[in-house]
């Protein structure tokens, strides 16, 4: 999910800090352009996170290009804002497919490669994946799943020195939020103690901390980056 929004900001910050980054996304043109702009330490590969076989391909691409896999950010996600009574099984399945199965496949792929040498997995859940929210039952369910899988993986992978933490953004200024009615976004901002929408770069800073050895004693944590909304 690195072609735009928070994932694009995370890839840019990681490269700026000296990492070599394989950006993946279903948005081929945007992802390729962003990786090219980041220079020789960034590559792009087309990747649907819900596609099991595609994970083998992108992990192989990362290992070929860079020699090791030390960090995975499971950022790709989709949002649907629908009342319960109008939510179809197809919409529910789509949210599970991308937001839940995608994160599971990422954790499994990374665990297979990182076992024996350690690493850090950063899962992007949501504030909605800690508290719930109205008119988004499928999204909430899929993000609670990310929160739960983070804890399950943190406990199971700790003996392998693989740390697994989740970030829970509030309203962040990305295309995902821009697609919603402006009055809904304004209401969320009005209810945010810091009184403004977050920037993708502010989430990227927390992802960088969780990816790096600066957070070496942190695993299984669920960190809100939400202007105080959960406070
Ligand atoms: P965004 O829509 O700008 O970015 C999401 C990226 O994921 C896009 O580049 C998209 O193409 C990619 N993606 C979608 N489906 C994919 C798939 N099947 N395979 C690979 N890539 C896919 O939104 P964003 O705000 O940057 O979202 C990033 C993450 O943050 C998501 O998991 C989202 O649920 C979460 N989040 C966002 C907010 C917010 O307010 N923006 C709040 C809480 C949580």
């Amino acid at each position: 999910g690195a072609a735009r929004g928070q994932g694009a900001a995370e890839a840019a910050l990681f490269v700026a800090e000296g990492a070599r980054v394989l950006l993946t996304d279903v948005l081929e043109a945007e992802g390729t352009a962003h990786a090219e702009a980041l220079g020789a330490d960034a590559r792009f590969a087309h990747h649907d996170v819900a596609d099991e076989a595609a994970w083998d391909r992108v992990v192989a691409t990362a290992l070929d290009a860079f020699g090791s896999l030390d960090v995975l950010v499971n950022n790709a996600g989709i949002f649907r804002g629908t009342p319960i009574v109008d939510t179809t099984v197809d919409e529910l399945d789509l949210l599970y497919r991308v937001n839940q199965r995608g994160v599971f496949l990422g954790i499994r792929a990374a665990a297979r490669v990182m076992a024996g040498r350690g690493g850090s997995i950063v899962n992007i859940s949501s504030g909605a994946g800690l508290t719930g929210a109205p008119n988004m039952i499928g999204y909430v369910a899929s993000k609670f799943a990310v929160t739960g899988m983070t804890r399950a993986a943190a406990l199971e992978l700790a003996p392998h020195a693989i740390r697994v933490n989740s970030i829970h953004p509030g309203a962040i200024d990305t295309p995902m939020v821009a697609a919603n009615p402006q009055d809904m976004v304004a209401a969320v901002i009005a209810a945010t103690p810091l009184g403004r929408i977050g920037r993708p770069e502010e989430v990227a800073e927390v992802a960088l901390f969780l990816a790096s050895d600066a957070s070496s004693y942190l695993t299984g944590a669920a960190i809100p980056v939400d202007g105080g909304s959960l406070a």
Side-chain angles (χ1 to χ4, degrees), residues 31-227:
T32 303
H34 187 44
E36 282 175 6
L38 294 179
D41 287 334
R43 308 272 177 93
F44 176 77
H46 183 275
H47 177 207
D48 175 356
V49 293
D51 179 346
E52 184 173 20
W55 275 98
D56 294 336
R57 287 199 296 277
V58 292
V59 168
T61 301
L63 295 176
D64 279 353
F66 304 133
S68 68
L69 180 69
D70 306 300
V71 171
L72 170 68
V73 180
N74 277 316
N75 167 76
I78 56 171
F79 175 79
R80 296 289 185 277
T82 314
I84 291 168
V85 292
D86 298 326
T87 298
T88 63
V89 166
D90 283 349
E91 182 177 297
L92 203 69
D93 285 346
L94 180 65
L95 287 157
Y96 288 174
R97 209 178 117 74
V98 177
N99 295 359
Q100 181 170 348
R101 187 214 286 194
V103 170
F104 161 72
L105 290 173
I107 292 170
R108 190 181 69 178
R112 287 174 174 168
V113 174
M114 291 173 177
R117 62 191 311 277
S120 173
I121 299 172
V122 181
N123 296 325
I124 309 301
S125 175
S126 169
L130 287 173
T131 62
N135 300 313
M136 54 177 88
I137 193 165
Y139 184 78
V140 165
S142 70
K143 291 299 189 178
F144 263 81
V146 175
T147 309
M149 289 190 293
T150 299
R151 295 197 56 80
L155 294 169
E156 184 170 333
L157 300 177
H160 302 284
I162 302 169
R163 299 184 297 104
V164 191
N165 295 287
S166 55
I167 292 177
H168 301 262
I172 308 297
D173 192 6
T174 70
M176 183 180 282
V177 163
N180 290 285
Q182 282 314 297
D183 57 340
M184 190 185 121
V185 178
V188 172
I189 294 170
T192 301
L194 284 182
R196 63 173 176 83
I197 196 165
R199 291 180 284 107
E201 293 76 15
E202 294 176 303
V203 181
E205 291 286 354
V206 180
L208 176 71
F209 169 67
L210 292 174
S212 78
D213 292 340
S215 60
S216 52
Y217 200 50
L218 209 63
T219 196
I223 303 185
V225 182
D226 64 354

